[in-house]
C-alpha cells in the first residue's frame, strides 16, 4: 500500500500531504466527539456525508465569491485542498439561541436573534476552546484587525447565503462554526475559508417540526444521526454513490 505522509490528525479529519506543493488531502473520518472529546463514538458513514455536504457548500460559496481552500473532490471521503496556516479562532455565527449561548447567558432556547450574532473562540482543546473578545485577538496577535474585518464580512455573507440555501429545502440554519486560514498566492496574502461546513459544524432544524438534523443528535443521545445527515444531503440534492 502506498503510505501517505500524515500532516495532522484531528478528531474528525486527517490531513495528508497533497499531490502538489502547498496542497493537502483532507480525509473525513467516522469519529464523532462532543464536549471537547469527553464523549466519543464511531458512526459508520458519517465521514462520507460530511465530505459530500461540505464539498457541495464550499463549491456554492466559491461561486458567490468566497475564496475557500477547496480544490477538488478526490473520492467519497477525500478532497484536495490548499494548505493554509489556520487562524487559531473558531468563528461562530448564530441566528437562533441554543447550545452554549443559552447555557452561558440563561437565554431561552430557540430565541430568534434580532440579527446574526458573531462570536470568537480560541482554538485550544486543552482550554476547551474558550470564548474570546476582539481585544484578546488583537493583544495576542491571533489575527490582525484588517483580517478580522474581512473575515467578519465573509461570515455574514456566508450566513446570508446559507440561510437561503437551507430555507429553500425546509431547514432553519440555527448556528454554525467557520475556520479561516492564510495562504500566499504569487506573493500575495489571501484569507481562505477552511476546515468544513457540515452537520458536525452547524445546527440544522426542520422548519416545520424543528427536528434536529445535525450533531446534536449525538451530543444529546437522540439517535438516528446518519439518517439525519442523509436527509440533509438528500434535501440539498447531493447524490452519494455507494
Ligand atoms: P455551541 O453552541 O456549542 O457553542 O456551538 C455553536 C456552533 O458551533 C454549533 O453549530 C456547533 C459548532 N461547533 C463546532 O463546530 N465545533 C465545536 O467545537 C463547537 C463547540 C461548536
Amino acid at each position: 500500500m502506498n503510505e501517505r505522509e500524515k500532516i495532522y490528525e484531528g478528531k474528525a479529519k486527517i490531513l495528508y500531504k497533497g499531490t502538489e506543493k502547498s496542497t493537502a488531502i483532507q480525509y473525513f473520518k467516522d469519529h464523532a466527539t462532543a464536549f471537547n472529546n469527553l464523549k466519543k463514538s464511531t458512526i459508520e458513514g458519517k465521514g462520507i456525508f460530511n465530505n459530500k455536504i461540505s464539498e457541495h457548500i464550499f463549491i456554492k460559496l466559491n461561486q458567490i465569491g468566497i475564496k475557500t481552500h477547496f480544490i477538488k473532490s478526490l473520492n467519497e471521503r477525500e478532497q484536495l485542498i490548499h494548505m493554509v496556516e489556520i487562524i487559531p479562532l473558531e468563528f461562530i455565527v448564530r441566528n437562533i439561541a441554543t447550545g452554549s449561548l443559552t447555557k452561558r447567558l440563561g437565554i431561552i432556547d430557540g430565541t430568534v436573534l434580532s440579527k446574526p450574532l458573531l462570536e470568537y473562540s480560541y482554538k485550544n482543546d486543552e482550554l476547551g476552546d474558550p470564548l474570546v473578545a476582539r481585544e484578546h485577538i488583537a493583544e495576542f496577535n491571533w489575527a490582525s484587525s484588517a483580517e478580522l474585518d474581512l473575515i467578519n464580512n465573509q461570515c455574514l455573507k456566508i450566513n446570508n447565503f446559507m440561510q437561503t440555501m437551507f430555507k429553500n429545502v425546509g431547514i432553519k440554519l440555527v448556528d454554525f462554526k467557520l475556520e479561516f486560514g492564510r495562504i500566499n498566492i504569487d506573493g500575495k496574502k489571501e484569507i481562505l475559508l477552511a476546515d468544513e461546513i457540515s452537520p458536525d459544524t452547524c445546527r440544522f432544524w426542520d422548519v416545520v417540526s424543528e427536528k434536529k438534523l445535525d450533531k446534536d443528535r449525538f451530543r444529546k443521545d437522540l439517535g438516528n444521526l446518519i439518517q439525519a445527515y442523509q436527509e440533509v444531503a438528500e434535501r440539498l440534492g447531493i447524490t452519494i454513490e455507494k
Side-chain angles (χ1 to χ4, degrees):
M1 205 180 99
N2 192 358
E3 272 299 308
R4 292 183 298 184
E5 195 176 333
K6 199 188 276 188
I7 304 170
Y8 172 80
E9 178 155 5
K11 286 175 284 197
K13 294 189 292 296
I14 305 174
L15 274 193
Y16 296 101
K17 270 206 166 159
T19 41
E20 301 134 54
K21 207 176 145 256
S22 75
T23 67
I25 293 165
Q26 182 166 248
Y27 174 96
F28 287 73
K29 304 196 285 188
D30 282 342
H31 281 83
T33 70
F35 315 115
N36 202 16
N37 232 355
L38 276 177
K39 180 168 177 168
K40 41 189 144 184
S41 182
T42 299
I43 299 166
E44 211 186 314
K46 180 176 79 80
I48 299 174
F49 285 108
N50 281 350
N51 178 35
K52 289 296 159 191
I53 293 169
S54 192
E55 174 189 310
H56 178 88
I57 298 173
F58 272 60
I59 290 172
K60 296 247 183 262
L61 289 174
N62 199 258
Q63 287 165 354
I64 62 152
I66 305 283
K67 293 186 175 125
T68 83
H69 72 169
F70 179 82
I71 302 173
K72 67 174 182 185
S73 166
L74 295 176
N75 55 54
E76 63 178 12
R77 283 185 188 271
E78 295 179 329
Q79 39 185 260
L80 188 68
I81 59 168
H82 293 288
M83 191 66 203
V84 298
E85 176 204 351
I86 283 284
I87 293 172
L89 296 167
E90 295 193 341
F91 297 83
I92 308 216
V93 185
R94 302 182 186 269
N95 297 306
I96 299 175
T98 193
S100 69
L101 176 65
T102 55
K103 284 202 196 82
R104 201 184 329 122
L105 302 177
I107 309 296
I108 295 171
D109 197 273
T111 304
V112 177
L113 303 171
S114 63
K115 58 179 173 43
L117 179 65
L118 184 56
E119 293 178 337
Y120 311 108
S121 292
Y122 176 47
K123 263 173 74 68
N124 183 315
D125 277 347
E126 276 168 43
L127 302 175
D129 297 343
L131 193 72
V132 294
R134 230 188 130 113
E135 286 76 6
H136 298 101
I137 299 172
E139 175 62 31
F140 303 116
N141 290 314
W142 291 323
S144 71
S145 170
E147 284 174 332
L148 215 49
D149 286 343
L150 185 143
I151 293 172
N152 287 355
N153 249 314
Q154 302 244 302
C155 286
L156 297 177
K157 201 170 160 190
I158 293 168
N159 184 46
N160 272 337
F161 180 79
M162 281 180 43
Q163 265 192 314
T164 308
M165 174 180 173
F166 282 98
K167 198 170 156 203
N168 287 342
V169 297
I171 292 174
K172 283 187 208 178
L173 178 64
V174 176
D175 58 27
F176 58 98
K177 184 259 307 184
L178 299 174
E179 294 186 25
F180 291 84
R182 304 180 182 99
I183 193 171
N184 249 307
I185 299 177
D186 303 326
K188 200 173 153 245
K189 253 180 129 185
E190 297 263 21
I191 298 283
L192 303 185
L193 174 68
D195 194 53
E196 68 178 284
I197 302 179
S198 72
D200 267 14
T201 63
C202 302
R203 284 197 178 94
F204 299 130
W205 293 353
D206 179 80
V207 166
V208 180
S209 65
E210 300 222 318
K211 180 178 149 192
K212 296 181 198 314
L213 298 168
D214 57 67
K215 202 168 96 175
D216 267 354
R217 300 207 72 80
F218 171 71
R219 295 189 190 97
K220 296 172 180 273
D221 292 319
L222 300 172
N224 295 335
L225 179 127
I226 278 298
Q227 289 82 348
Y229 283 37
Q230 183 170 4
E231 189 167 339
V232 172
E234 277 170 6
R235 289 203 202 180
L236 291 173
I238 299 168
T239 44
I240 297 192
E241 309 119 37
K242 277 210 161 178

